[in-house]
């Protein structure tokens, strides 16, 4: 397969680092999968899935959102302190740039992780996608999580988070062993919405109401898959969020780790190779039922 490093330009002019993985041979019309990464997860985490999809004849594009990975901050900034952005920018600007790049070249499907569930309804033209398969998407509220994970998340939002952001000027997630550091705007919005049972669908703030209202425009087929041992995105959490896609055909899929022959999946395992050996063929088979053409 062929791997290229690209630079995408978001609608507001922000430059984004991206990786394009292409199959060795094209099979007729180009087909693309865009990876909708999770919060604070750089694009390299999804490389093995991208290579697997490319081995089945699909072109794959991965992008680092602003403030993350190789899109961390503009050249004139040397820290996330003072970095200005909103959480929604990752969806409506950054992922949107990747989707736009692909849809201009061929039919495009989305494969998402966690935040990828929140992103579809925020894209400028979500129905340009053929379909989407999301792993680990949920409402984020600690009340949907089992104890003691619910307590740990409550402490993160209400004790550790406020203290650490006051000290650093951003959320130093890396010091907690949970992904990359978050710009203050991402932390602020994520914290607010994760304290609501239905995420931004429960937020009365005008900015959030405008985001939630656009989800009614989405009409593509969506697979909403969660592992039964995913502590952050339980089936109840998944259902609480995806009910916001009122006009989309959402298929809920519960994944038992034992059905994949693995001891566990959790919130991050969907895109790890040991889980992917059994899960990724199922994901691509679902996309194939929704228009994607695969090579043997």
């Amino acid at each position: 397969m062929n791997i290229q490093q690209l630079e995408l330009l978001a609608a507001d002019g922000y430059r984004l680092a991206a990786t394009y993985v292409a199959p060795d041979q094209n099979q007729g019309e180009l087909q693309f999968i865009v990876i909708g990464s999770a919060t604070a997860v750089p694009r390299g985490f999804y490389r093995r899935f991208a290579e697997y999809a490319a081995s089945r004849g699909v072109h794959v594009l991965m992008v680092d959102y602003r403030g993350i990975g190789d899109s961390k901050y503009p050249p004139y900034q040397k820290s996330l302190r003072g970095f200005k952005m909103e959480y929604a920018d990752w969806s409506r600007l950054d992922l949107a740039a990747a989707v736009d790049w692909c849809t201009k070249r061929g039919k495009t499907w989305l494969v998402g992780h966690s935040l990828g569930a929140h992103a579809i309804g925020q894209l400028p033209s979500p129905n340009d996608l053929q379909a989407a398969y999301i792993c680990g998407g949920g409402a984020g509220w600690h009340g949907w999580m089992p104890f003691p994970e619910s307590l740990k998340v409550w402490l993160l939002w209400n004790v550790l988070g406020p203290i650490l952001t006051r000290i650093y000027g951003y959320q130093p997630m890396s010091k907690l062993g949970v992904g990359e550091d978050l710009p203050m705007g991402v932390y602020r919005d994520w914290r607010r919405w994760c304290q609501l049972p239905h995420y931004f669908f429960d937020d009365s703030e005008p900015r959030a109401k405008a985001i939630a209202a656009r989800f009614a425009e989405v009409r593509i087929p969506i697979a909403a898959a969660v592992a039964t041992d995913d502590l952050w995105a339980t089936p109840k959490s998944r259902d609480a969020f995806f009910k916001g896609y009122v006009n989309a055909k959402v298929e809920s899929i519960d994944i038992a780790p034992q059905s994949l022959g693995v001891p566990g999946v959790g919130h991050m395992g969907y895109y790890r190779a040991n889980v992917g050996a059994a899960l990724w063929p199922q994901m691509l088979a679902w996309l194939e039922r929704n228009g994607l053409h695969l090579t043997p």
Side-chain angles (χ1 to χ4, degrees):
M1 63 195 66
N2 302 304
I3 300 176
Q4 301 177 37
Q5 305 306 320
L6 305 178
E7 184 178 81
L8 305 181
L9 197 65
D12 66 343
Y14 196 99
R15 298 183 180 279
L16 304 162
T19 300
Y20 171 41
V21 184
D24 286 332
Q25 295 182 342
N26 291 326
Q27 303 292 325
E29 182 183 13
L30 298 185
Q31 301 175 104
F32 292 87
I33 286 177
V34 175
I35 304 295
S37 306
T39 298
V41 180
R43 70 191 190 281
F45 181 73
Y46 304 97
R47 178 181 61 85
R48 291 189 183 277
F49 172 81
E51 292 175 350
Y52 172 75
S55 75
R56 300 298 309 276
V58 185
H59 299 249
V60 183
L61 186 66
M62 304 173 286
V63 63
D64 277 343
Y65 306 136
R66 65 190 66 196
I68 297 297
D70 294 327
S71 303
K72 193 169 291 293
Y73 31 70
Y76 56 82
Q77 256 185 276
K78 296 183 178 179
S79 169
L80 287 180
R81 179 182 287 273
F83 186 82
K84 302 294 184 183
M85 65 165 293
E86 297 180 0
Y87 195 10
D89 292 344
W90 283 355
S91 303
R92 65 191 178 195
L93 293 172
D94 301 349
L95 186 60
V99 170
D100 181 65
W101 190 91
C102 292
T103 55
K104 287 179 176 176
R105 291 164 172 80
K107 290 183 177 179
T108 302
W109 289 256
L110 178 74
V111 169
H113 183 201
S114 193
L115 171 65
H118 311 157
I120 302 169
Q122 300 180 65
L123 293 171
S125 302
N127 297 313
D128 286 349
L129 295 169
Q130 304 299 306
Y133 193 109
I134 305 297
C135 295
W141 180 49
H142 71 275
W144 299 124
M145 302 175 187
F147 187 84
E149 190 70 18
S150 59
L151 176 60
K152 289 165 58 179
V153 172
W154 186 91
L155 290 172
L156 172 65
W157 293 133
N158 295 284
V159 180
L160 285 176
I163 293 172
L164 291 172
T165 52
R166 183 176 292 273
I167 293 171
Y168 289 94
Y170 57 89
Q171 178 62 17
M173 298 290 280
S174 61
K175 296 186 181 301
L176 303 174
V178 189
E180 293 205 357
D181 299 336
L182 298 178
M184 182 64 84
V186 172
Y187 164 77
R188 176 200 64 214
D189 295 341
W190 197 24
R191 178 180 184 270
R192 177 182 178 90
W193 294 332
C194 280
Q195 297 190 73
L196 302 171
H198 298 90
Y199 207 62
F200 46 55
F201 294 110
D202 284 346
D203 194 346
S204 59
E205 184 186 63
R207 182 169 58 98
K209 290 180 70 174
I211 291 174
R214 296 202 60 246
F215 276 64
E217 300 175 17
V218 180
R219 299 181 181 277
I220 63 170
I222 301 173
V226 295
T228 54
D229 66 336
D230 187 335
L231 302 182
W232 277 55
T234 63
K236 287 183 177 179
S237 178
R238 182 261 319 279
D239 296 342
F241 183 82
F242 276 94
K243 68 186 296 185
Y245 285 102
V246 294
N247 291 313
K249 180 183 178 182
V250 177
E251 180 181 344
S252 296
I253 301 172
D254 294 347
I255 302 169
Q258 57 268 30
S259 71
L260 301 177
V262 296
V265 177
H267 192 59
M268 300 302 294
Y270 306 99
Y271 294 96
R272 292 193 168 116
N274 65 320
V275 175
L279 179 59
W280 298 343
Q282 296 179 20
M283 293 167 62
L284 291 189
W286 186 93
L287 293 174
E288 191 172 28
R289 293 195 295 273
N290 287 275
L292 186 69
H293 296 292
L294 302 173
T295 58

